[in-house]
Amino acid sequence: METIHNLGLGFEAALSAENLLFCLLGVSLGTFVGVLPGIGALATISMCLPLTFYLDPVPGMIMLAGIFYGAQYGSSTASILLNLPGSAPAAITCLDGYPMAQQGRAGVALFLTTIASFVGGSFSIMLMIGFAPVLADFAISFSSADYFSIMVLALVAASTLSNGSFIKGIAMVAAGLVLGLVGTDISSGVPRYTFGIIDISDGISLVAVAMGLFGVAEILNNLMQDEHAVVDARSITFKSLVPTRQDMREFWPAAGRGSVIGAIVGMLPGTGPTIATFMSYSAEKRLSRNPGKFGKGAIEGISSPEAANNSSVQAAFIPTLTLGIPGDAIMAVILGGMLIHGIAPGPQLIANDPVLFWGVIASFWIGNVFLLILNIPLIGIWVRLLTVPYHLLYPGMLFFICIGVYSVNNSTFDVMLTLIFGLIGFGMMRFGFPAAPLLLGFVLGPLIEENFRRALVLSRGNLDVFVSRPVSATFLGLTLLVLLASIPQVRGLFGLIAKGRKGQAVNE
């Protein structure tokens, strides 16, 4: 009963005219910047943060949160239509979303990603409403060894994201880990592998890596082709946006699994939607009876990551609001805005400021309904982007990419770095090296190193800590199974065993 009372208090605050206006403003702005390639939620929230100083804490936080999860809705649009991720988490949507657009099913892909985003967001909102304190206790109970094991599983799974060589996938994960080492050592404060370049003393920009590998590289690749796939916008009617029954049969289980994965990953401090989307895609490919269809327009390949994306974004507010621990860089900016307003996030926030806590949570559901209404009627407009001639479109795409990268740190060096990674990504595409495992290795590199060191410090250098804890041992065991199942010889052995059992059953 207390939860229902608190939720009623939250909706009373969220449904006020002022808060509704700023919720609509936040989700609309978030969707807009999410659609534009190269401009993400981090840059937009950073630029809009000073505007909230003139607002009360509740509408200010509602607007910033709306920009965050609104950008996740819009980021899939550029991934599907142009093969350009509007944000790093949307990079995985390119793998199956863009092939669907090339097959003339861009409308269906956009419709399903919108529904998947709503499903994932709603799932995490319900978890926050009913189980926020319990989930916070669950997340904080994880040790450094547990985090390390989870990240090792994510890295090994990342090597299977591509349809290409398993060895190439492992190589790209290793390359990402090496890039993640660049910057200042978190323990000693000594610069590592910076070669005297001050601009990378804090590490290589994630935005520069993602936009270079997935944005600039794709533009260069398209420039090398004589023909470019487009969609006839006149043939895209509201009727053509309706998915088939088979599409929906494949959609719902994948969206459900993605929602669960996104919620679990999102509520863990130090993670984020990027990790959630990669893990959900890898899980779908592993569970599929036909993994060869992934990368060629699989419904599961867009449904599960998009559900995980929004589910993790909503769940990321759990450690931020209840523990004061930001899940990623965007949550760190929102946390900074709360501190500027004099709000102290932590276990006492629910008791000390219930209107803010429950008002923001209630606004999530209102914002998701707004986004559902905003996105589905506008799908036809997004599809028409494909009718623009590519030689006219790519200068604008490069412009937005450069503006987005520059706005993060106000650094021209990051812009040059983006172009360099674009050339590297173009070469990788030509030689069949997948970019997605590299990006995940880069994201997880610093986190896995930090937790590995912390676990060894706490155990006084005893490596048994990674197998003595049940959670850590379980994830390391899963990692070993995934690794063995990914080796061609082992897969062939499993295939022979399966055929032998099938033949035996037929004989009987």
Side-chain angles (χ1 to χ4, degrees):
M1 293 299 294
E2 183 180 357
T3 300
I4 297 176
H5 172 74
N6 290 332
L7 188 59
L9 181 67
F11 272 105
E12 182 181 354
L15 289 172
S16 67
E18 181 186 19
N19 291 336
L20 278 176
L21 175 63
F22 283 102
C23 181
L24 179 60
L25 177 63
V27 297
S28 301
L29 183 59
T31 303
F32 177 75
V33 300
V35 169
L36 297 176
I39 302 179
L42 178 58
T44 308
I45 289 177
S46 300
M47 290 185 288
C48 292
L49 185 61
L51 299 178
T52 66
F53 300 163
Y54 305 98
L55 302 174
D56 291 333
V58 175
M61 292 303 104
I62 286 176
M63 188 182 77
L64 291 181
I67 294 174
F68 188 14
Y69 59 81
Q72 312 309 313
Y73 272 76
S75 61
S76 61
T77 302
S79 298
I80 292 170
L81 300 181
L82 307 172
N83 205 24
L84 288 174
S87 61
I92 202 70
T93 307
C94 296
L95 299 181
D96 285 280
Y98 188 60
M100 287 186 67
Q102 291 177 312
Q103 297 164 12
R105 307 193 70 207
V108 174
L110 288 168
F111 178 83
L112 290 180
T113 53
T114 300
I115 300 300
S117 297
F118 181 80
V119 170
S122 298
F123 179 79
S124 283
I125 293 170
M126 288 189 291
L127 287 181
M128 292 181 67
I129 291 173
F131 305 103
V134 177
L135 292 177
D137 293 340
F138 174 73
I140 202 172
S141 67
F142 274 34
S143 70
S144 298
D146 299 331
Y147 280 115
F148 170 81
S149 300
I150 294 172
M151 293 174 190
V152 169
L153 174 61
L155 287 179
V156 173
S159 63
T160 67
L161 291 176
S162 171
N163 288 325
S165 169
F166 170 71
I167 300 299
K168 289 182 178 179
I170 288 289
M172 289 298 96
V173 169
L177 289 173
V178 171
L179 289 176
L181 294 175
V182 177
T184 303
D185 184 270
I186 57 176
S187 299
S188 64
V190 176
R192 302 183 303 183
Y193 310 110
T194 60
F195 303 100
I197 303 175
I198 300 179
D199 298 271
I200 57 175
S201 58
D202 290 331
I204 299 174
S205 170
L206 171 63
V207 178
V209 175
M211 293 301 103
L213 292 178
F214 291 94
V216 177
E218 183 61 32
I219 292 175
L220 294 176
N221 186 55
N222 278 277
L223 288 176
M224 298 295 292
Q225 301 176 7
D226 296 329
E227 299 181 357
H228 305 287
V230 295
V231 171
D232 183 7
R234 291 173 296 182
S235 65
I236 304 297
T237 62
F238 276 104
K239 184 177 180 180
S240 68
L241 304 181
V242 179
T244 64
R245 291 184 178 180
Q246 180 62 30
D247 291 338
M248 297 308 297
R249 280 195 292 267
E250 296 173 351
F251 167 82
W252 287 113
R257 288 187 291 265
S259 299
V260 174
I261 293 174
I264 294 174
V265 174
M267 70 184 178
L268 299 177
T271 60
T274 303
I275 299 174
T277 55
F278 278 89
M279 290 186 67
S280 64
Y281 187 90
S282 179
E284 288 302 317
K285 190 175 179 180
R286 282 287 168 200
L287 294 173
S288 176
R289 296 180 179 178
N290 182 21
K293 68 179 180 180
F294 284 81
K296 301 175 183 178
I299 296 296
E300 301 95 322
I302 61 172
S303 303
S304 184
E306 284 301 314
N309 189 359
N310 271 69
S311 180
S312 65
V313 165
Q314 307 287 357
F317 282 88
I318 294 176
T320 303
L321 295 177
T322 60
L323 305 177
I325 302 175
D328 56 12
I330 299 177
M331 292 307 305
V333 175
I334 295 179
L335 180 65
M338 297 177 68
L339 295 174
I340 292 174
H341 278 286
I343 303 169
Q348 299 301 319
L349 178 62
I350 300 177
N352 296 339
D353 201 342
V355 175
L356 173 68
F357 181 83
W358 292 103
V360 170
I361 291 179
S363 74
F364 290 165
W365 224 323
I366 297 172
N368 275 271
V369 173
F370 280 157
L371 287 166
L372 199 63
I373 297 172
L374 284 172
N375 278 268
I376 293 179
L378 297 179
I379 283 180
I381 296 177
W382 310 137
V383 171
R384 280 170 172 76
L385 285 175
L386 288 177
T387 64
V388 180
Y390 206 84
H391 67 277
L392 298 177
L393 189 60
Y394 81 83
M397 292 156 55
L398 279 175
F399 172 77
F400 284 121
I401 287 174
C402 293
I403 291 296
V405 172
Y406 178 81
S407 63
V408 175
N409 296 315
N410 295 327
S411 171
T412 55
F413 178 82
D414 285 349
V415 177
M416 297 300 299
L417 202 61
T418 302
L419 299 178
I420 292 174
F421 275 107
L423 294 174
I424 294 174
F426 174 71
M428 289 166 54
M429 293 176 67
R430 289 293 176 175
F431 289 98
F433 285 89
L438 186 150
L439 183 63
L440 185 59
F442 175 74
V443 172
L444 285 179
L447 296 174
I448 199 171
E449 178 190 6
E450 178 183 355
N451 285 281
F452 181 73
R453 284 186 171 186
R454 186 181 298 141
L456 289 181
V457 168
L458 294 176
S459 65
R460 298 183 180 182
N462 188 357
L463 292 173
D464 291 344
V465 68
F466 297 107
V467 294
S468 59
R469 292 184 58 86
V471 174
S472 178
T474 299
F475 280 103
L476 286 179
L478 292 174
T479 302
L480 181 61
L481 291 177
V482 172
L483 187 61
L484 291 175
S486 301
I487 300 175
Q489 290 82 355
V490 177
R491 284 205 306 265
L493 179 60
F494 287 158
L496 289 175
I497 295 175
K499 289 181 180 179
R501 289 181 176 178
K502 183 177 180 181
Q504 184 179 359
V506 171
N507 293 332
E508 292 176 354

